[in-house]
Amino acid sequence: DAALREAEARLREGRIVAIKGLGGFQLACDATNAEAVCQLRLRKRRPHKPFAVMMLDLEMAGHYAQLDAHERDLLTSSAAPIVLLRRGGDAMLPEEVAPRSDIIGMMLPYTPLHHLLMGDLRLPLVMTSGNLSEEPIACRNEEALRRLSGIADLFLMHDRDIHTRYDDSVWFVAGGESQPVRRARGYAPFPLHLPVQTRAILACGPYLKNTLCLTRGEHAFLSQHIGDMENLETETFWEQVRAHYSEMFEIAPQIIATDMHPDYATTRLGRGLRGRQVAVQHHHAHLAACLADNGVAAPAIGVILY
């Protein structure tokens, strides 16, 4: 109780609190306090990208955004993703939460700690990944204290270990259909069904917004969001995810698929692994992913706008 009361008091004062979530630490501040949001942007080195906001419930979300039935269902689903919503309602969040955008990413509490915190505060909270921009999310207590000490004013932690990092998933609704933007917590590592039979393949993924994928039979095991492959920390995370998925699903890849670009970190990492090496043209991979996602195995002509 004392730890919760302290965190709540500091959030009301406009401070930044690192909170241990389900798949890693999150950085939180009062989303109605423009100065606090700006301070978080400065410390996290994230000048423009929108922040996600956690709302207590659908009623609170409806004060700040327009929600239809599909979006309400998505927000309250067991996966509890961030849902991209149009600004609206009878209240406005500061422009600094999502600069130059009429879209706000919102989610509801999905851990007991979130419910306790939000139930007492009854304030919208910016709830963003606990990292410096483009680095992997921090997941261990000692790691968070080391990596986030220059960002957070306070740490709200517990003794349950997090063994695998998972960012929050991001979805939106278009034409009454739910569509993923980022598939992570709540969805990965559940497999995707493929329209064809495959061998044991490791697809190393792109340079930006990386995920990797292992296939076997009619299933693709797509990893959680890994991030931009711009630093050693993310490369190390990629290696950990690859080893974890291979062990968890008992897949020893016979084929290693990498991007055709020779200077991508994923190409270098993939070429260091045993197996038949296959280079895939980047835009071809986009089209193949669209076909697989829609269950199409027939010949097709595709236009990729990039």
Side-chain angles (χ1 to χ4, degrees):
D1 285 348
L4 277 169
R5 299 295 88 77
E6 179 77 6
E8 291 159 6
R10 295 295 172 260
L11 286 165
R12 290 187 186 278
E13 291 173 1
R15 300 292 188 90
I16 297 166
V17 178
I19 299 169
K20 193 173 187 180
L22 190 67
F25 276 79
Q26 296 163 308
L27 294 165
C29 72
D30 180 357
T32 66
N33 185 329
E35 186 177 344
V37 177
C38 287
Q39 189 61 228
L40 178 55
R41 287 198 174 281
L42 182 66
R43 296 185 193 178
K44 188 175 160 68
R45 301 177 195 169
R46 185 170 172 167
H48 306 301
K49 285 184 179 180
F51 282 140
V53 179
M54 182 171 282
M55 297 290 177
L56 172 62
D57 51 26
L58 288 176
E59 183 180 358
M60 181 183 285
H63 284 305
Y64 297 95
Q66 304 171 40
L67 288 84
D68 65 21
H70 298 287
E71 291 161 340
R72 290 172 182 269
D73 288 345
L74 200 50
L75 279 168
T76 56
S77 67
S78 60
I82 296 168
V83 181
L84 303 183
L85 304 168
R86 290 199 173 276
R87 289 181 187 259
D90 54 12
M92 288 290 289
L93 291 172
E95 172 72 13
E96 289 80 1
V97 171
R100 299 183 298 279
S101 176
D102 64 349
I103 302 295
I104 296 280
M106 293 187 182
M107 60 180 157
L108 301 184
Y110 57 84
T111 71
L113 185 56
H114 288 139
H115 281 281
L116 290 170
L117 195 65
M118 295 297 295
D120 291 337
L121 276 171
R122 309 192 77 81
L123 280 172
L125 292 181
V126 165
M127 199 71 72
T128 187
S129 53
N131 56 6
L132 278 173
S133 189
E134 310 308 339
E135 289 184 359
I137 188 171
C139 68
R140 295 182 299 277
N141 289 353
E142 65 278 7
E143 176 193 11
L145 290 168
R146 183 182 74 253
R147 291 177 51 199
L148 305 180
S149 60
I151 306 176
D153 299 305
L154 198 75
F155 290 81
L156 184 59
M157 303 186 293
H158 52 74
D159 60 0
R160 291 194 67 180
D161 290 335
I162 297 172
H163 294 286
T164 307
R165 306 170 204 268
Y166 275 81
D167 283 284
D168 292 312
S169 295
V170 182
W171 287 65
F172 71 100
V173 175
E177 295 288 336
S178 300
Q179 300 286 339
V181 176
R182 184 171 76 192
R183 187 177 181 271
R185 176 190 55 75
Y187 297 93
F190 294 115
L192 301 173
H193 186 266
L194 299 174
V196 294
Q197 286 282 339
T198 67
R199 284 176 281 177
I201 302 170
L202 167 66
C204 295
Y207 181 71
L208 298 177
K209 304 185 188 304
N210 180 269
T211 58
L212 60 83
C213 185
L214 284 163
T215 65
R216 182 183 60 209
E218 295 181 348
H219 292 107
F221 300 92
L222 188 66
S223 78
Q224 69 268 43
H225 170 79
I226 294 174
D228 296 349
M229 303 292 289
E230 295 182 336
N231 50 57
L232 180 60
E233 292 83 0
T234 309
E235 289 190 22
T236 301
F237 181 31
W238 186 95
E239 289 278 17
Q240 291 169 346
V241 173
R242 178 191 64 78
H244 178 61
Y245 270 56
S246 293
E247 179 182 4
M248 180 165 52
F249 298 113
E250 298 181 341
I251 299 175
Q254 303 166 353
I255 298 172
I256 311 296
T258 58
D259 195 286
M260 200 173 280
H261 197 302
D263 293 330
Y264 279 6
T266 48
T267 303
R268 172 172 46 80
L269 291 166
R271 288 179 179 174
L273 300 173
R274 292 179 60 184
R276 177 188 163 201
Q277 297 285 328
V278 176
V280 181
Q281 205 279 334
H282 188 90
H283 299 84
H284 177 92
H286 276 298
L287 176 57
C290 289
L291 293 173
D293 195 36
N294 287 279
V296 176
I301 295 174
V303 178
I304 300 299
L305 305 177
Y306 197 65

